Amino acid sequence: MRQHIRHDTIGWKLFLAYDIFMMFIIVFNLFCLCANALLMSNFGNWLFETIHLPQILQYYKDALHPWVIKTESWFITFLIAELLIRWFIAIIYKHHTRWFFFPFIHWYEVLAISPYLRFLRLIRAGIIAYRFHEMGYKVVPDSIMKRVLFYYRVVMEELSDRVVITVIDGVKQELDTSSSHKKIIHDLVDHHREIFAKAIAEVLQESLATELNAQRHLITNNVGQIVRQAIEDTPQLTQLLRMIPIAGGMIENQIQNIGQQLGENITQGLIQPFIEGNVQHPNATYQLISTKLSQLNIENQSLEELVESVVYESLESLKKQVAMKQWQLELNKNDQAEI
């Protein structure tokens, strides 16, 4: 059960103020570093020479640039201390299952300490902004937040698609080149025999039993008519009965009726075992049929080719599905909605 957090306590307000402070100094720090990189570059020299203000750039290099470097060192020291304090608090209050989970969960903060990975600090600022957004504080306008989330999904989908497609291609290559691919396929089939048997039993119960039950009266009537016609088409019996005066015709008709009824009853008895049960509990006949089918030996060239074809086509279908750009479909949908 999720614990309800009160938003009117002093602790919560301090936590909120600290998040705002961290988001501000991270953004400000990155802004200063970007501006410093621009001003210290050849482009900065060219720009200030073009606007005829080289003395301002020189003043920045002499007076302000050392302070930017010094404050960056202070900020890195602050980030290290702040991370260690939060890790210590997380251990005390058992925020995670294991004490050493904290640096792995906050990997982007650990890496962002490095001067070469400063851009990762934006992730923390973005997480803080998103947390405010979830709490109802519109730090970022909805339109910008929606666009940021869209591009985030684009990046994640492209990365995950590349990984999945590479894995599928690797599996296909392994099946093509490995001498043990038949064993892999056989193991795959053996692993799913029980599920295959259950599926066959449910399909038979759902389709064949339902259809037999619906056509039961028609089938029994047809069989009864066939038996009656067979009696009529037996000339020896007809000639024998007609030798009996007066009662011969009546006996012949009764025999035909009895034969018809007998055929109908036998057919009913044969159909009854196939229409009993339900999808959740198929009857014993279908369970026996499905079990026998699932135990088929696939040491047969035609069956092996069939199973291999199913495996390869399944992998290819999965690859096509993964390659489909969901973000592109969403973008097209949004474009059509705007028209």
Side-chain angles (χ1 to χ4, degrees):
M1 182 177 180
R2 189 175 179 179
Q3 185 179 3
H4 177 69
I5 300 176
R6 293 183 57 185
H7 294 179
D8 57 349
T9 61
I10 296 178
W12 172 258
K13 292 178 179 178
L14 289 175
F15 174 76
L16 189 66
Y18 181 74
D19 268 353
I20 295 173
F21 168 73
M22 285 301 302
M23 184 171 62
F24 172 76
I25 63 172
I26 288 173
V27 173
F28 182 74
N29 169 255
L30 292 176
F31 173 78
C32 291
L33 291 175
C34 290
N36 178 73
L38 177 65
L39 294 173
M40 298 299 294
S41 66
N42 293 329
F43 175 77
N45 291 329
W46 171 83
L47 178 62
F48 280 84
E49 287 289 345
T50 302
I51 62 177
H52 305 291
L53 293 174
Q55 66 277 10
I56 295 179
L57 181 60
Q58 191 60 42
Y59 172 77
Y60 173 80
K61 291 181 177 180
D62 295 339
L64 300 180
H65 173 67
W67 277 100
V68 173
I69 303 303
K70 187 179 295 186
T71 54
E72 171 63 8
S73 301
W74 292 347
F75 189 65
I76 291 176
T77 305
F78 168 75
L79 288 178
I80 295 173
E82 189 258 355
L83 185 68
L84 292 175
I85 292 172
R86 287 171 51 222
W87 189 359
F88 182 70
I89 293 174
I91 294 174
I92 293 177
Y93 290 97
K94 298 181 179 179
H95 291 169
H96 308 293
T97 307
R98 295 290 185 272
W99 66 270
F100 53 85
F101 281 10
F102 183 87
F104 294 99
I105 295 174
H106 299 271
W107 59 270
Y108 50 90
E109 297 183 43
V110 177
L111 295 179
I113 293 174
S114 170
Y116 299 102
L117 298 173
R118 296 187 183 102
F119 64 92
L120 291 177
R121 298 171 191 174
L122 282 175
I123 297 179
R124 183 175 180 186
I127 290 175
I128 294 173
Y130 184 71
R131 186 158 61 233
F132 286 159
H133 186 81
E134 284 188 326
M135 291 187 299
Y137 299 102
K138 302 298 181 180
V139 178
V140 180
D142 289 337
S143 58
I144 297 178
M145 180 63 70
K146 184 178 180 181
R147 188 167 295 275
V148 170
L149 290 177
F150 171 76
Y151 286 114
Y152 171 78
R153 288 195 293 267
V154 170
V155 173
M156 295 306 296
E157 182 179 351
E158 289 295 332
L159 290 175
S160 60
D161 286 356
R162 287 294 95 201
V163 172
V164 173
I165 290 175
T166 302
V167 171
I168 293 175
D169 288 339
V171 172
K172 291 178 66 177
Q173 184 178 2
E174 181 69 20
L175 292 176
D176 290 335
T177 58
S178 175
S179 59
S180 61
H181 74 280
K182 288 187 177 180
K183 182 179 182 303
I184 296 174
I185 294 177
H186 283 221
D187 292 341
L188 182 65
V189 172
D190 292 337
H191 181 69
H192 292 85
R193 286 186 186 274
E194 184 177 348
I195 300 175
F196 182 61
K198 182 180 178 182
I200 292 178
E202 290 180 356
V203 169
L204 290 174
Q205 184 70 51
E206 185 176 9
S207 56
L208 182 58
T210 302
E211 191 61 27
L212 281 175
N213 190 37
Q215 301 293 329
R216 178 172 54 178
H217 296 295
L218 179 61
I219 296 172
T220 55
N221 289 335
N222 288 339
V223 173
Q225 291 295 330
I226 291 172
V227 174
R228 184 184 185 91
Q229 189 63 42
I231 294 174
E232 292 180 1
D233 294 340
T234 306
Q236 296 85 350
L237 179 61
T238 303
Q239 293 174 3
L240 180 63
L241 291 174
R242 287 179 180 175
M243 293 175 61
I244 302 174
I246 304 174
M250 296 176 59
I251 295 174
E252 181 182 3
N253 188 52
Q254 286 296 323
I255 291 177
Q256 291 174 356
N257 291 335
I258 292 172
Q260 180 178 352
Q261 188 65 40
L262 185 63
E264 292 176 357
N265 291 340
I266 291 174
T267 305
Q268 285 275 15
L270 291 174
I271 292 176
Q272 187 62 35
F274 291 94
I275 63 175
E276 294 176 346
N278 52 60
V279 177
Q280 289 74 25
H281 300 91
N283 63 64
T285 304
Y286 292 147
Q287 290 184 5
L288 178 62
I289 293 173
S290 61
T291 301
K292 294 298 182 183
L293 287 175
S294 67
Q295 296 302 322
L296 283 175
N297 185 7
I298 63 171
E299 294 290 347
N300 176 284
Q301 184 175 358
S302 298
L303 282 175
E304 285 183 349
E305 291 177 355
L306 174 62
V307 174
E308 287 182 9
S309 177
V310 171
V311 172
Y312 277 94
E313 288 191 12
S314 298
L315 291 175
E316 191 63 30
S317 298
L318 181 60
K319 183 178 177 180
K320 289 180 180 179
Q321 181 63 33
V322 171
M324 187 178 298
K325 307 297 183 184
Q326 298 296 329
W327 62 266
Q328 195 169 25
L329 296 176
E330 182 179 349
L331 187 62
N332 294 335
K333 183 178 178 181
N334 293 335
D335 291 342
Q336 292 177 359
E338 293 176 357
I339 297 177

